[in-house]
Amino acid sequence: MHIGHSFDVSLFYRDIIYVDDDDATTLPDPSENFEELLIRVRSKEVKKRALQRIPLSLGPGLEIGVGVYCLVREAKKPSFVRLDQRSNEELKTQTRHICEDTGTELMPTDIKFYQPFGGEKVVFEKEEVTEMKKFGEPGLTLMGFKPRSRVKKHCYIKPSNFIFPDESVVKGSSSLFKVLLDRCLARDIVAICRYIARQNAQPFFVALVPQAENLGENNLQVESPGFHVVFLPFAEDFRTLHFEESTKANTEQIDKAKDIIKKLTFKYQPDSFENPVLQKHYRYLEAIALEHDEVEQVTDLTEPDIERISRRAGSLLEEFKELVYSDGYDPEQKPGAKRKVCVNCTVSCY
């Protein structure tokens, strides 16, 4: 990653630099400043690994090899590992099935599965149970095309994935994938497919939403060309919600709420707010590893900044409170204790 326009890559580095298959074949333009160079370095911190490498079937005898990627994933605590208290070594877990009557160890061939039906137990072999859970081979199967407007936001059921051509699955996939992407973008349509992620996985119907390549400043790729795999709901996923009738706000109250929102709106940067639960977890691990007596305190940046809110919209909040709530309302006052009815008397007492 070079910085400054005076750096000539063609003299030496272009012949020896390794270009990943997922990256562009041409090197981006030099960085204009140090901040831009840091952004490029940060984008290389995580290796782009495919969740699955599966075929996309367009019809009988016509397949495209694609890699499925997860663009956004929730950060969670790493799974725990059982350690020996004396040696601090990782423990290996072994599971054995013991017969309740004889006390002998059961082999996998000795274990059967059954389903009660008509007062009797219908016995199945393990292979039969595995076969019943199988709905097809892993892959994407094209079912048809729909206008892009048919994909609604309220149909969201889980985070989407992203597919990109993979030559290791089927040779020549990149060319056919590009043609399919260009035609979907030109006609503003999405491809409806059946998606089976892996062996014995639940099938989903998905919409492949096309995305064109987007290059930012200095020829740096901002968005990759490919399809977003949007999971579609089944009929039973839709539910009818019943809302209780409540008092609706008038025009003056709505306008005052809009003014408050405008005053408290700021440019959101995801990397400016760290997860306090994760940070606290890692601080404890750091203290244990370095044998510190005290754990470094974590500042919870997700808590509201009361002073800044009061400074920017304090008067508007007071006006809004007078419009919505009755006189003498105090939001910090705790609600009174609920009255309990005595069994031995007819009046309510505390």
Side-chain angles (χ1 to χ4, degrees):
M1 297 182 182
H2 48 294
I3 186 170
H5 291 282
S6 60
F7 191 91
D8 192 354
V9 186
S10 61
L11 296 178
F12 178 73
Y13 284 98
R14 186 178 295 276
D15 297 330
I16 67 169
I17 193 170
Y18 171 75
V19 179
D20 196 354
D21 295 336
D22 299 330
D23 295 337
T25 55
T26 58
L27 292 175
D29 294 338
S31 302
E32 293 289 345
N33 49 50
F34 186 68
E35 289 74 14
E36 182 183 346
L37 185 64
L38 290 179
I39 294 175
R40 298 190 185 188
V41 173
R42 194 178 301 115
S43 65
K44 298 288 184 180
E45 287 181 352
V46 180
K47 178 67 176 177
K48 296 185 284 293
R49 294 193 295 266
L51 297 177
Q52 298 96 24
R53 301 183 187 274
I54 56 177
L56 168 59
S57 177
L58 303 180
L62 182 60
E63 292 183 346
I64 300 176
V66 296
V68 183
Y69 298 87
C70 180
L71 300 184
V72 179
R73 177 176 293 178
E74 179 185 357
K76 297 182 179 180
K77 295 180 183 179
S79 57
F80 69 91
V81 178
R82 299 183 185 275
L83 302 177
D84 189 351
Q85 185 178 7
R86 295 165 296 182
S87 61
N88 206 32
E89 295 182 356
E90 182 179 352
L91 297 177
K92 295 182 179 180
T93 305
Q94 293 183 350
T95 303
R96 295 180 181 180
H97 297 279
I98 306 299
C99 180
E100 185 177 356
D101 298 331
T102 62
T104 58
E105 182 179 354
L106 296 176
M107 302 301 293
T109 55
D110 299 329
I111 301 175
K112 307 294 182 183
F113 301 87
Y114 73 91
Q115 174 67 34
F117 181 78
E120 297 183 1
K121 295 181 179 180
V122 182
V123 181
F124 298 98
E125 299 288 343
K126 184 178 180 180
E127 293 76 12
E128 294 176 328
V129 176
T130 303
E131 191 66 25
M132 284 189 291
K133 295 181 179 180
K134 187 176 182 180
F135 290 90
E137 295 296 329
L140 286 160
T141 304
L142 180 64
M143 310 298 293
F145 296 92
K146 289 287 184 180
R148 189 168 186 163
S149 58
R150 297 293 295 273
V151 181
K152 305 296 183 179
K153 292 183 178 180
H154 65 264
C155 294
Y156 173 88
I157 57 174
K158 60 185 299 187
S160 63
N161 293 329
F162 189 80
I163 61 173
F164 197 76
D166 194 327
E167 294 285 340
S168 64
V169 180
V170 179
K171 293 294 183 182
S173 297
S174 300
S175 301
L176 187 55
F177 187 90
K178 185 178 185 304
V179 173
L180 178 64
L181 178 64
D182 292 342
R183 298 316 302 159
C184 288
L185 288 170
R187 299 187 178 185
D188 197 22
I189 58 176
V190 297
I192 307 298
C193 299
R194 186 192 66 177
Y195 176 40
I196 300 178
R198 59 189 68 85
Q199 289 287 350
N200 303 329
Q202 176 187 357
F204 283 96
F205 285 102
V206 297
L208 303 185
V209 181
Q211 174 180 278
E213 184 180 21
N214 182 14
L215 298 178
E217 298 180 357
N218 300 323
N219 198 30
L220 187 64
Q221 188 183 76
V222 179
E223 295 178 347
S224 302
F227 289 93
H228 290 277
V229 183
V230 179
F231 294 86
L232 301 177
F234 291 100
E236 59 267 20
D237 292 329
F238 289 95
R239 301 182 301 275
T240 302
L241 303 179
H242 301 281
F243 297 97
E244 297 180 359
E245 294 185 1
S246 59
T247 305
K248 295 184 179 180
N250 55 39
T251 305
E252 186 179 4
Q253 293 172 345
I254 295 175
D255 293 338
K256 187 64 65 176
K258 289 181 179 179
D259 295 338
I260 295 175
I261 293 175
K262 290 180 182 179
K263 283 289 185 180
L264 299 181
T265 301
F266 63 96
K267 188 175 181 181
Y268 174 68
Q269 297 290 341
D271 53 356
S272 300
F273 298 90
E274 297 177 336
N275 189 333
V277 176
L278 290 179
Q279 295 302 319
K280 186 176 181 180
H281 173 73
Y282 290 125
R283 293 294 187 277
Y284 273 101
L285 292 181
E286 182 181 8
I288 294 174
L290 301 178
E291 298 181 354
H292 290 170
D293 296 333
E294 297 181 357
V295 180
E296 183 181 352
Q297 296 297 322
V298 177
T299 303
D300 190 355
L301 301 176
T302 61
E303 293 184 352
D305 192 343
I306 304 300
E307 295 183 0
R308 181 176 296 182
I309 293 175
S310 301
R311 187 169 59 251
R312 300 185 64 176
S315 59
L316 292 175
L317 290 172
E318 291 296 329
E319 296 174 4
F320 180 79
K321 186 174 67 174
E322 294 177 358
L323 289 174
V324 176
Y325 299 103
S326 58
D327 297 337
Y329 171 77
D330 186 7
E332 298 182 359
Q333 183 179 2
K334 295 182 180 180
K338 294 183 178 180
R339 292 187 174 184
K340 298 181 181 180
V341 179
C342 274
V343 180
N344 300 324
C345 58
T346 58
V347 296
S348 300
C349 59
Y350 293 99

